[in-house]
Amino acid sequence: MLDPRSEIYPTIEYRPIQPSDLEALEKIHLALFPIRYEREFFLNVVNGHGIVSWGAVDISRSDERRDEIIGFVTTRMIAAKDSEIEDLFRYNSSRKDLTLVYILTLGVVDSYRNLGIASSLVQEVIKYAASISNCRGVYLHVISYNQPAISFYKKMLFKLVRRLPMFYYIRGQHYDSYLFVYYVNGGRSPCSPLAFLKMLVAKFWTKEDHCNPRWARCKESTTRCKESTTLLAPQNNKRIISGDDTRCHV
């Protein structure tokens, strides 16, 4: 492994994760995360079954381990309408095929940290998401006590859009989660003026809204109806984390 006191920086390359990475991928996950992932998850990652992933390798190593992954990011494509943040994209309700990229896990072995590898892995995800015309963002959850991860995603310009109280249940303990989004391809926070205007147009000109008594009452009282977006989300959206839950981004 890399000697952190060395002034010689390694040469890192990024590539798709492949079947030969299975053992190293399992080993790193076990070392980095507080939960156990099922074998099926790793097999899906290395074989690309519903999961798109990238690995970081140190090609400057002189031994046979120069192609062994020392960092990784795993992701899954999700339809925006089926995601937990579907409400953030209602301003673009005319599009029913919008998608999002969800980051499942991200990690770098200890001896290669602080070299920009995690940032480069996330940039690979962002580039991938931006290359898909109907994709509007990259999103993920961070458990509330992981301050380094929270600071990392803020530095990467992800937007903190929601706090989910008691979202995780791990080993008998409840934890909050923070939900971060990085918008691509014109995706934007519903708090932005343009997104809010589009949301109002979509809301007011649907058949359902034309027949909605609530809008009529609102119009009569000359008050302005609008949907508010807060960091605090409803508390009925929780996760019980077991060994087979691949969505605990800690």
Side-chain angles (χ1 to χ4, degrees):
M1 284 297 188
L2 179 70
D3 183 351
R5 296 168 297 181
S6 174
E7 295 183 358
I8 301 176
Y9 287 92
T11 302
I12 305 298
E13 285 193 353
Y14 303 90
R15 59 164 175 78
I17 290 180
Q18 54 200 24
S20 60
D21 296 320
L22 180 60
E23 183 178 349
L25 188 67
E26 286 185 294
K27 183 179 180 181
I28 300 174
H29 273 76
L30 182 62
L32 295 182
F33 299 112
I35 62 174
R36 295 290 297 272
Y37 290 86
E38 295 293 332
R39 180 80 169 186
E40 181 182 3
F41 167 68
F42 297 109
L43 290 174
N44 287 336
V45 172
V46 300
N47 291 301
H49 293 164
I51 295 177
V52 180
S53 57
W54 292 262
V57 295
D58 179 4
I59 63 171
S60 59
R61 297 176 65 169
S62 58
D63 56 23
E64 68 280 359
R65 298 171 63 189
R66 67 193 309 267
D67 195 47
E68 180 178 304
I69 60 170
I70 48 83
F72 60 85
V73 61
T74 65
T75 71
R76 174 177 290 142
M77 185 69 70
I78 297 177
K81 63 182 178 61
D82 297 328
S83 73
E84 297 162 301
I85 54 174
E86 180 272 338
D87 59 299
L88 299 184
F89 299 93
R90 287 178 183 165
Y91 66 85
N92 206 351
S93 59
S94 60
R95 292 291 301 270
K96 304 300 183 182
D97 62 338
L98 296 182
T99 62
L100 301 166
V101 175
Y102 181 72
I103 295 181
L104 297 166
T105 59
L106 168 69
V108 177
V109 299
D110 287 344
S111 56
Y112 280 86
R113 291 187 177 179
N114 300 315
L115 296 176
I117 296 173
S119 298
S120 295
L121 286 166
V122 172
Q123 286 294 342
E124 292 292 329
V125 178
I126 293 172
K127 286 190 295 183
Y128 169 69
S131 72
I132 303 170
S133 61
N134 63 332
C135 183
R136 291 297 179 267
V138 178
Y139 83 106
L140 62 124
H141 298 93
V142 177
I143 202 164
S144 57
Y145 60 70
N146 194 342
Q147 191 58 49
I150 293 170
S151 299
F152 169 76
Y153 286 109
K154 287 183 177 179
K155 182 179 179 181
M156 294 292 294
L157 302 181
F158 279 69
K159 304 297 184 184
L160 173 57
V161 298
R162 192 156 292 168
R163 179 175 63 87
L164 306 172
M166 297 189 293
F167 183 77
Y168 293 120
Y169 186 73
I170 305 176
R171 303 190 185 108
Q173 179 69 43
H174 288 284
Y175 298 95
D176 291 357
S177 171
Y178 293 107
L179 198 154
F180 286 88
V181 180
Y182 187 100
Y183 295 101
V184 299
N185 296 331
R188 58 183 65 83
S189 167
C191 295
S192 68
L194 180 58
F196 181 63
L197 178 60
K198 288 184 175 182
M199 182 174 64
L200 287 180
V201 171
K203 178 180 177 64
F204 295 159
W205 288 99
T206 59
K207 180 179 180 181
E208 293 78 7
D209 286 321
H210 276 299
C211 301
N212 192 333
R214 180 175 178 269
W215 162 238
R217 291 196 301 270
C218 187
K219 184 176 181 181
E220 291 171 0
S221 62
T222 67
T223 60
R224 185 171 63 176
C225 293
K226 67 178 180 179
E227 297 181 9
S228 62
T229 301
T230 66
L231 289 179
L232 183 60
Q235 296 192 27
N236 60 354
N237 186 12
K238 305 178 187 303
R239 297 277 170 78
I240 298 176
I241 304 302
S242 59
D244 60 352
D245 194 318
T246 61
R247 297 172 291 184
C248 179
H249 191 91
V250 295

